[in-house]
Amino acid sequence: MISTESNIPARLRPVTWTTWSAWVFVSALLPVFSTIAATAIGKSVPHDDSVYKRLLMSSLLALTVFTTLAPPFMQGFVLKRFLPRLSVCVWSLGILVSTIIWLAVLFSEHQKGASLIHAGLQAEFQLQHTAAIERLANSPSFAKIIRLSWAPFLLWTIAINTLTSLVPSAILGTTSGIRRAILLFIVASVTGAVVSAIVEQLYQITTTQYWFREWALNGRTWAARIQVLITRSSVGAIWGATTAIPVVFMSRLLAPTPALDTQIFALHRAGGLTMATIAPPLIVLLTLLVSSLVRSYACC
């Protein structure tokens, strides 16, 4: 069992629905912000030297910087509600280190001819290629989807997310005062990545496979842009809701719970834990409903 030293309650706070909702909301914003940054970078600007061009370039640069730097700080402020001693700057620095590690793995392809990122992209391409053949032949059934080449793609997802979650998990585990909690945070991150990656691929397989081919939204209709943002924010929200499940259990075991909070759906009670556990599939259902409404409106 995880040790319950006397100083742990002072380092941990119970996860409430407010904290849970804030974490899921911020997680949903992460792919939206990265999409906005990619769109701003790919935005075409006039070739002349007018004031409009300079103003547009400055605005795009400011938007790119904000959407790139804001997410780790937003995450840090939410995590601080659970870990009061967490430094938002240290957390943001840890995310920066993880990004550098990811980029190092990415650019190692130029030296060795193949990299973990390259292998992952190839696995994802093979998965989508097989799914596209099934789509052309017939509407893919559940049995056909299960038989797709998931293993290489999921192994890559586990490997790259284990690598990039080491530093942030070490920061959270050290701040919590529970060294063995580092493993729990790694497992939470990897589990969230696997679940959200599967959901993302299922969105592409069962809807329009061209949505995710390019990350930026340039050249798309407004209806397509809205639908892409809805889908990507759903993937982020599912990641956040999934990663929160083991943390909620840890909070329930170690953090002091409010004595007066006797509501059946409070997160430290069985009803709340059940709701947190079934939240990811509920998010998927809500996303499908909203996407269907957007498609119906666009076709009118």
Side-chain angles (χ1 to χ4, degrees):
M1 292 181 61
I2 297 177
S3 175
T4 56
E5 293 87 346
S6 59
N7 65 335
I8 288 177
R11 296 190 177 193
L12 292 177
R13 289 177 181 168
V15 178
T16 63
W17 278 115
T18 301
T19 304
W20 183 93
S21 301
W23 176 250
V24 173
F25 178 72
V26 169
S27 300
L29 285 181
L30 297 184
V32 174
F33 275 25
S34 61
T35 300
I36 293 174
T39 304
I41 293 173
K43 176 70 174 177
S44 60
V45 295
H47 296 289
D48 57 2
D49 193 24
S50 62
V51 176
Y52 170 74
K53 176 184 177 180
R54 293 193 294 270
L55 180 60
L56 179 60
M57 292 186 65
S58 300
S59 301
L60 292 175
L61 177 61
L63 183 61
T64 303
V65 171
F66 173 76
T67 52
T68 302
L69 298 181
F73 286 96
M74 295 167 62
Q75 285 182 320
F77 283 116
V78 175
L79 289 170
K80 199 171 178 64
R81 298 175 63 93
F82 168 62
L83 296 168
R85 297 189 181 185
L86 177 67
S87 169
V88 176
C89 291
V90 172
W91 168 259
S92 301
L93 181 62
I95 297 298
L96 176 61
V97 172
S98 293
T99 304
I100 293 174
I101 292 174
W102 188 87
L103 291 174
V105 175
L106 174 63
F107 288 109
S108 66
E109 174 182 323
H110 298 289
Q111 297 179 353
K112 299 181 181 180
S115 70
L116 186 60
I117 303 293
H118 179 73
L121 293 176
Q122 289 296 321
E124 182 176 4
F125 172 78
Q126 182 62 39
L127 177 65
Q128 288 299 318
H129 178 69
T130 307
I133 295 176
E134 294 290 346
R135 284 176 62 91
L136 292 175
N138 195 1
S139 179
S141 64
F142 179 77
K144 291 181 179 179
I145 292 175
I146 292 295
R147 289 197 298 266
L148 293 176
S149 53
W150 288 98
F153 172 72
L154 294 179
L155 288 174
W156 164 72
T157 302
I158 293 171
I160 193 63
N161 281 278
T162 300
L163 182 64
T164 55
S165 64
L166 291 176
V167 175
S169 298
I171 293 173
L172 295 178
T174 303
T175 305
S176 70
I178 313 170
R179 299 284 179 170
R180 282 175 285 182
I182 295 176
L183 179 60
L184 180 141
F185 289 118
I186 293 176
V187 171
S189 177
V190 173
T191 303
V194 169
V195 172
S196 59
I198 292 174
V199 171
E200 181 179 5
Q201 296 305 314
L202 290 177
Y203 281 155
Q204 297 184 66
I205 292 170
T206 58
T207 54
T208 305
Q209 66 268 33
Y210 300 104
W211 287 354
F212 295 84
R213 186 163 294 177
E214 294 180 0
W215 199 254
L217 300 178
N218 307 92
R220 302 177 188 266
T221 64
W222 280 105
R225 293 179 182 182
I226 293 173
Q227 205 161 0
V228 169
L229 290 177
I230 290 173
T231 309
R232 288 179 179 168
S233 63
S234 172
V235 173
I238 290 168
W239 178 86
T242 305
T243 56
I245 293 173
V247 178
V248 168
F249 274 96
M250 184 180 75
S251 168
R252 184 172 185 247
L253 292 174
L254 298 178
T257 55
L260 298 178
D261 194 353
T262 58
Q263 295 181 1
I264 188 173
F265 291 113
L267 264 177
H268 67 278
R269 298 176 66 87
L273 289 173
T274 302
M275 290 297 296
T277 303
I278 66 175
L282 292 179
I283 293 173
V284 172
L285 293 176
L286 180 62
T287 301
L288 294 176
L289 175 61
V290 175
S291 296
S292 177
L293 292 175
V294 172
R295 281 198 302 270
S296 299
Y297 179 79
C299 293
C300 295

